[in-house]
Amino acid sequence: MDNRTQLNKTPLSKAVRLALGCSLIGSSAFAMAQETPKGADASVEEIVVTGTHIKGLDTEGAVQVVQIDRDDIEASGATSPIEILQQLSQTGGGSGTFSTATSGALSSSTPVGAAGVSLRGLGASSTLVLVNGRRVSVSSFAKGQESFVDVNSIPLSAIERVEVLPSGAAATYGADAVAGVVNFVLRDDFDGSEISLTHGNSTAGSDEGKYNLSWVWGREGDTSHTMVVVDLFSRNAMYDRDRNLTANSVRPSQQGVYPSFNDLFLAYYDQTEGPVSGGCPEDQFGFGSFGDYCEFNTNAVAATQDEYESASVVATFNYDISDNLEWFNTLMLQTSESRGTSAPANFSRAPFDPESPLWPEALKADLVEEGSFHPDYPTSDFSEFYGYPIFAWGKFPDARAVEVESEAMRLVSGLRGEVNEWNWEVAANLGRSESEQRGISGLYKADAFYNASVGNLCTDGSVVDRWEVDLARPSASFGAGETCEDLGKTTAWYNPFGGQVDQIAEMDDLIRTDAKRGGKSNLYAIDGNISGSWIELPAGTVQVAFGGEFRRESVVDTPSGDAVSTTLNPEPILGFSSTSADAARNQWAVYMEQMIPLAANTELQFALRYDHYDNFGGDTNPKVALRHQFNDAITFRSNWSTSFRAPSLAQVGAGTLLSSYSVDCSATPVACDGLADESGESLLSEDVSNDGLKPETATTWGAGFLLKPSEDTEISVDYWNIEHENLIGVEEDDFILRAFNGDFAVVGEGELSTGQPGLEVAGGFVVDAHFQLSNLGWQKTNGVDVAFTQYFDTENWGNFRFTLDGTYLNEFDKLPSDALGIVKEAGNYTYPRWLANSSLRWRYEDWSSTLTGRYTHSYMDDPSPRVLDSVLEEGNEYFASRVDIDDEGNVEVDSWVTFDLRVARDFDNGSWLSLRVNNLFDKEPPLVLGTGANVDHFNHNSLGRFYTLSYGYAF
């Protein structure tokens, strides 16, 4: 049957089709008209469209809505909700929308196993995520100090459709919906039983297999409906080393498992165990500005995406108490396990005792020879180093890896009904997210490691005071105290030689830790609303909705005691971050919404909402939207609204976050002794809390046209503009400039207390920074969404539909402060101006197929001078051939085009089979030098060609 003809049989189907075709679907993979279930008649149940609480309004309304239905989800080949959302052009750009491809054990990584969605690049905390129109508890682990909803906690098989409102919706859903709303609508009307099995893998030699088994059961009774969804999902890990482009670091680390040694007094150049003495392999051995080093390819161990598995249950039960009263219930449960793997941790300036019995003779001879050139104190014997530490710069031999176990629960129970043609609804909403993280490798306690390096640590775990260890610097001073042997014990010497593989049996238990971390997030809410017809006007009836909500939210994130930073021990676990949060608050809101018919073809929507936070006060936010239909072919729409976002719980209750940052000398030459062309120091920094944070505010407006020049052609053009002020975050460059301007402390190395904002400077270079969470200046972004849909019907070849849609980012400007000036992001690093999609979909009898193309525009790269020099040096042709440098020396990231193909067949016995191939031609992503992985995982994908085979059977 002609699906498009079938759609035209019902008002709802026509509205959905117009919304999908004209209201910018956002991705051609999803731009397919909703199919009416078999047996549907002209009697259609009213629905609530995202963007309004008024039931029964046409989805071709005054506000742009992106809708992705169940057929589109299946056609996409996605295996998780974040994969669907990442294909929308409205979620691209910047680093807002993140997936497990960006997770890991580092402070700059996103939480392991979690994924968050961001609209317009404004960050996950500015996008409100709902399930069935109601809030969800935030993730128990924040992204840095940004709270977000983990969309991976929603099983894909339970989703009926996804509705995206890519514009401010504070007046309708909450003051914090600055960038818009993503609403997951769950399946609740299924009758029968369906089982589906999906397997996917790449065509590369590595195994990135994905497995999904789901079962859906539903039963329709005389007065009730029950549905249960069970979903099991598993995915193997993928590593940078598994792809040619990411297998090798563009600029390998000069700190390796064969450390460089220097006493910083007698020796000028560092000394490293070299190839001649059986140390560092010859192809990794080098000599730089500090002397010998053994390089390390961090990409050889880092994961591109983490190993992940989950088990989910979704159950719904609806019971008709009477003809006008229904009791509805939804229960969601999920448990998941995931693993994130990052490069091994560095140790820098680690003191070692020259009297350790483990020193190799060849290395001792090299240090003596280097010291012999000292003009005042030339060395002739290694014993001349005794009593003074010899410092080491190296890397531990094993990757930093953590495992996270998470549990999520959501229960909604409520009543809804109709009284005198007024619809009402009230519900209680309980949500909980609980996670536990534990290290499984590569986490070393600083105090135990430093004490083991100077011979203070005994095999029974006790510590002697032969050396006085300074953990803050780090350093050590010889005190001539007792040794472990003096007490009848045995010294536990850490062996930094021979690749660090030969350690005593007790060493692991003495210096390693699992740094167990726990997090809990809770949501308790009750809400209610009523809507219906209000006042009769000449042009029609005013539709109105009133509602209110109360909720209590809390977050507790408790790090291991091993990981808590102090002034005397600022980096308790080397190269590993700790974060903490403890906050709770009550919030309540009341709102009103009206749809006012001004004329036969003109309607005005007006909404007003007041939100009150017990720790930040209240704020009122309006929204005005206008829709005017000139004729059947042209419809104009526009909207204006304001937003108010109080600091998130992770920001309000933030502790000290251990982080990392590489100083950008071109932006802050004052941090690099005035040398803008230098490469700045890589800092093991802190992000510290701020009790004086103020709420963010935003103003959003937009306008667009829906065009339908013929029955088979649909076009939409929408302009959007968002002005955001008092943004909450950390802007490192701005902080550095402000500190040198006198706003924060600038002190010598080792003089900054933990939790105190400021900078440490040595030799004119910033060597440590404690960045403070702050309200920054303003941010302005605007652009245009466009979509085109064309239907083709044939008698003998079936039905075709062609779509082309995309988002153009015209402006993304930031003013963190007057000191830094305006930063223009559009067209620069990770902010491509164009994101576009196109598809050709075909259906004939029981066969269907979709060919999809995806386009990511080029943008300017952001490599450090050292990285760029490393790429261009002789012998690095693989990377150099992929670098595009313009006449001014700027590096441009190439544009990227990929194609996906899906073929599916429905069978008469109720079963179906589909094969989807993503990245059909195995197109390699462009090289991005500003990232350590060589690939921008926010805008590109290094997975390569990936096939997904799905089979389902309904009975």
Side-chain angles (χ1 to χ4, degrees):
M1 179 180 289
D2 183 339
N3 289 324
R4 189 161 55 82
T5 303
Q6 185 179 7
L7 275 169
N8 287 336
K9 290 185 177 181
T10 68
L12 172 61
S13 297
K14 182 177 181 180
V16 171
R17 173 173 170 253
L18 289 172
L20 291 173
C22 298
S23 299
L24 182 57
I25 305 312
S27 172
S28 56
F30 305 132
M32 182 179 183
Q34 167 112 8
E35 294 185 16
T36 303
K38 292 180 180 180
D41 56 26
S43 176
V44 180
E45 181 183 358
E46 287 185 332
I47 64 171
V48 176
V49 179
T50 298
T52 178
H53 288 289
I54 300 174
K55 291 187 176 182
L57 290 188
D58 193 342
T59 53
E60 187 192 1
V63 180
Q64 178 186 353
V65 178
V66 177
Q67 185 161 292
I68 308 161
D69 67 17
R70 185 69 204 168
D71 285 342
D72 302 331
I73 293 172
E74 293 175 352
S76 73
T79 53
S80 66
I82 195 63
E83 292 180 30
I84 300 172
L85 296 168
Q86 283 179 311
Q87 296 177 40
L88 295 174
S89 59
Q90 290 89 347
T91 64
S95 57
T97 298
F98 61 88
S99 70
T100 55
T102 58
S103 68
L106 306 185
S107 61
S108 56
S109 304
T110 56
V112 172
V117 60
S118 164
L119 294 169
R120 308 300 190 196
L122 297 181
S125 62
S126 295
T127 298
L128 180 58
V129 175
L130 307 174
V131 173
N132 286 346
R134 288 184 168 86
R135 288 178 180 262
V136 185
S137 58
V138 297
S139 170
S140 48
F141 290 159
K143 177 193 175 187
Q145 290 169 328
E146 181 183 21
S147 296
F148 68 96
V149 171
D150 178 14
V151 297
N152 277 349
S153 65
I154 308 168
L156 190 65
S157 58
I159 298 173
E160 176 63 29
R161 66 183 185 273
V162 183
E163 299 169 340
V164 179
L165 183 68
S167 62
T172 310
Y173 293 107
D176 50 345
V178 176
V181 172
V182 176
N183 183 30
F184 294 92
V185 180
L186 302 181
R187 304 169 74 174
D188 67 351
D189 59 354
F190 186 83
D191 192 15
S193 191
E194 177 185 88
I195 188 168
S196 63
L197 177 65
T198 298
H199 169 66
N201 210 333
S202 70
T203 56
S206 50
D207 182 6
E208 289 84 35
K210 295 182 181 181
Y211 308 87
N212 183 221
L213 174 65
S214 66
W215 172 64
V216 184
W217 173 84
R219 181 178 179 182
E220 186 77 40
D222 292 337
T223 59
S224 66
H225 180 270
T226 306
M227 189 193 72
V228 177
V229 179
V230 179
D231 186 277
L232 304 175
F233 177 76
S234 177
R235 181 192 63 209
N236 295 334
M238 174 183 169
Y239 295 89
D240 290 347
R241 62 176 178 265
D242 294 332
R243 298 295 182 270
N244 290 333
L245 183 64
T246 58
N248 295 290
S249 303
V250 171
R251 186 176 187 271
S253 171
Q254 293 187 7
Q255 291 182 237
V257 295
Y258 291 90
S260 302
F261 296 90
N262 195 313
D263 76 327
L264 299 181
F265 179 69
L266 296 175
Y268 183 80
Y269 286 116
D270 295 348
Q271 302 298 308
T272 301
E273 293 177 87
V276 175
S277 58
C280 178
E282 188 171 358
D283 61 344
Q284 299 170 22
F285 188 72
F287 186 87
S289 56
F290 296 105
D292 293 346
Y293 65 84
C294 185
E295 68 181 24
F296 188 90
N297 176 24
T298 56
N299 289 23
V301 294
T304 308
Q305 68 177 13
D306 41 345
E307 181 181 336
Y308 180 84
E309 59 183 36
S310 65
S312 307
V313 176
V314 176
T316 64
F317 176 72
N318 296 351
Y319 180 74
D320 294 330
I321 299 175
S322 67
D323 290 343
N324 296 317
L325 182 61
E326 180 187 24
W327 178 36
F328 61 92
N329 302 272
T330 301
L331 174 66
M332 293 176 57
L333 300 172
Q334 187 198 58
T335 179
S336 65
E337 295 184 9
S338 53
R339 174 182 294 188
T341 306
S342 302
N346 291 339
F347 52 86
S348 300
R349 196 188 161 88
F352 281 86
D353 187 351
E355 294 187 65
S356 165
L358 304 176
W359 283 90
E361 292 299 323
L363 182 58
K364 290 164 64 175
D366 289 342
L367 284 165
V368 170
E369 181 181 2
E370 174 62 25
S372 68
F373 295 104
H374 194 283
D376 299 320
Y377 305 98
T379 58
S380 59
D381 188 82
F382 192 69
S383 62
E384 296 175 51
F385 290 97
Y386 290 178
Y388 301 95
I390 296 179
F391 299 97
W393 287 259
K395 195 179 300 290
F396 290 109
D398 51 339
R400 285 165 286 184
V402 296
E403 284 186 342
V404 174
E405 294 184 2
S406 298
E407 295 180 353
M409 183 278 293
R410 183 174 190 265
L411 174 63
V412 175
S413 182
L415 297 170
R416 57 182 165 227
E418 182 179 339
V419 177
N420 296 327
E421 298 185 354
W422 282 75
N423 297 293
W424 62 271
E425 184 173 302
V426 62
N429 179 8
L430 306 178
R432 181 180 178 88
S433 173
E434 186 170 358
S435 300
E436 181 180 86
Q437 175 181 287
R438 59 185 178 275
I440 56 177
S441 70
L443 306 187
Y444 293 84
K445 295 180 289 186
D447 57 350
F449 170 70
Y450 291 139
N451 278 302
S453 69
V454 295
N456 278 357
L457 187 64
C458 305
T459 54
D460 66 352
S462 60
V463 177
V464 298
D465 59 355
R466 184 165 179 263
W467 289 79
E468 181 181 347
V469 176
D470 180 0
L471 299 175
R473 187 163 173 76
S475 186
S477 301
F478 186 67
E482 292 180 314
T483 67
C484 295
E485 283 70 20
D486 291 338
L487 302 178
K489 302 178 180 182
T490 302
T491 301
W493 292 101
Y494 184 81
N495 185 1
F497 312 111
Q500 306 177 62
V501 296
D502 186 14
Q503 306 291 346
I504 62 172
E506 298 88 347
M507 189 57 67
D508 275 0
D509 292 335
L510 292 172
I511 69 173
R512 292 176 186 256
T513 178
D514 63 1
K516 189 175 291 185
R517 168 191 177 193
K520 294 181 181 179
S521 167
N522 289 294
L523 168 69
Y524 307 93
I526 185 168
D527 67 83
N529 65 75
I530 185 169
S531 67
S533 301
W534 192 15
I535 302 173
E536 287 289 340
L537 296 179
T541 305
V542 175
Q543 303 293 318
V544 65
F546 300 95
E549 175 188 17
F550 173 83
R551 66 182 184 272
R552 178 171 178 81
E553 295 178 287
S554 63
V555 167
V556 177
D557 186 351
T558 306
S560 165
D562 288 342
V564 176
S565 177
T566 65
T567 300
L568 297 178
N569 189 8
E571 192 186 3
I573 300 177
L574 294 169
F576 184 73
S577 66
S578 69
T579 183
S580 63
D582 188 355
R585 66 182 172 207
N586 297 330
Q587 301 155 259
W588 60 269
V590 291
Y591 59 85
M592 176 273 294
E593 182 182 358
Q594 296 184 67
M595 192 285 289
I596 306 171
L598 302 179
N601 296 320
T602 305
E603 67 181 37
L604 175 70
Q605 289 186 22
F606 174 72
L608 190 67
R609 183 184 182 100
Y610 177 79
D611 290 85
H612 187 274
Y613 298 78
D614 61 5
N615 53 354
F616 282 96
D619 192 64
T620 301
N621 290 280
K623 181 170 185 175
V624 180
L626 178 69
R627 175 184 180 273
H628 176 70
Q629 187 173 2
F630 292 94
N631 51 49
D632 291 341
I634 303 175
T635 301
F636 169 79
R637 61 186 177 192
S638 62
N639 63 87
W640 174 90
S641 63
T642 66
S643 303
F644 162 93
R645 190 186 80 81
S648 66
L649 290 175
Q651 294 167 338
V652 171
T656 297
L657 168 66
L658 300 184
S659 59
S660 60
Y661 178 69
S662 294
V663 176
D664 184 353
C665 295
S666 62
T668 57
V670 68
C672 306
D673 202 24
L675 305 173
D677 294 334
E678 269 290 338
S679 289
E681 296 289 323
S682 296
L683 311 180
L684 296 171
S685 55
E686 294 181 3
D687 291 349
V688 301
S689 61
N690 184 352
D691 294 334
L693 290 177
K694 299 177 181 179
E696 300 177 352
T697 60
T699 301
T700 302
W701 66 275
F705 285 92
L706 310 178
L707 308 176
K708 189 173 175 58
S710 71
E711 177 67 19
D712 297 320
T713 305
E714 298 161 351
I715 303 170
S716 69
V717 180
D718 287 279
Y719 172 82
W720 46 270
N721 185 299
I722 303 174
E723 298 184 5
H724 211 163
E725 296 182 350
N726 284 332
L727 280 82
I728 300 172
V730 173
E731 186 69 46
E732 292 88 353
D733 294 339
D734 170 63
F735 182 91
I736 291 172
L737 292 175
R738 290 170 61 196
F740 278 105
N741 197 38
D743 292 352
F744 301 100
V746 178
V747 297
E749 186 174 7
E751 298 178 10
L752 200 61
S753 301
T754 294
Q756 177 189 359
L759 305 176
E760 293 182 4
V761 178
F765 282 76
V766 172
V767 294
D768 195 9
H770 297 180
F771 302 112
Q772 187 177 51
L773 196 64
S774 304
N775 286 103
L776 307 174
W778 53 258
Q779 176 177 274
K780 298 179 181 179
T781 180
N782 60 73
V784 177
D785 294 332
V786 295
F788 169 79
T789 303
Q790 180 68 52
Y791 295 92
F792 303 94
D793 297 336
T794 66
E795 294 183 3
N796 300 320
W797 295 93
N799 302 324
F800 296 84
R801 196 211 50 218
F802 173 77
T803 63
L804 175 65
D805 59 79
T807 295
Y808 176 74
L809 179 62
N810 177 59
E811 182 181 54
F812 201 115
D813 291 352
K814 298 179 181 179
L815 181 67
S817 72
D818 293 335
L820 189 62
I822 296 177
V823 179
K824 294 186 175 295
E825 301 283 16
N828 289 318
Y829 183 62
T830 72
Y831 288 86
R833 287 194 180 274
W834 270 110
L835 293 171
N837 307 282
S838 180
S839 76
L840 179 63
R841 188 158 184 172
W842 165 77
R843 181 183 291 273
Y844 180 67
E845 295 182 346
D846 295 328
W847 287 91
S848 64
S849 181
T850 304
L851 177 65
T852 304
R854 309 190 187 283
Y855 173 77
T856 303
H857 196 53
S858 61
Y859 57 85
M860 303 311 297
D861 206 343
D862 187 30
S864 69
R866 287 183 180 178
V867 167
L868 186 56
D869 291 343
S870 178
V871 169
L872 300 179
E873 67 184 17
E874 186 176 352
N876 213 354
E877 289 80 8
Y878 177 82
F879 291 123
S881 63
R882 288 163 169 76
V883 174
D884 184 8
I885 304 178
D886 63 19
D887 295 337
E888 298 179 356
N890 299 313
V891 180
E892 185 176 29
V893 175
D894 292 337
S895 59
W896 194 46
V897 179
T898 61
F899 292 92
D900 306 334
L901 177 65
R902 178 182 185 263
V903 178
R905 169 74 191 276
D906 297 329
F907 299 97
D908 294 337
N909 64 353
S911 64
W912 52 268
L913 182 69
S914 74
L915 173 66
R916 182 179 178 89
V917 182
N918 285 10
N919 198 348
L920 183 64
F921 301 110
D922 201 18
K923 183 67 177 296
E924 191 176 60
L927 173 67
V928 181
L929 300 178
T931 69
N934 308 344
V935 170
D936 171 11
H937 287 297
F938 294 103
N939 292 294
H940 306 130
N941 189 324
S942 60
L943 189 59
R945 185 188 295 116
F946 194 91
Y947 68 86
T948 304
L949 182 65
S950 300
Y951 172 78
Y953 177 57
F955 53 95

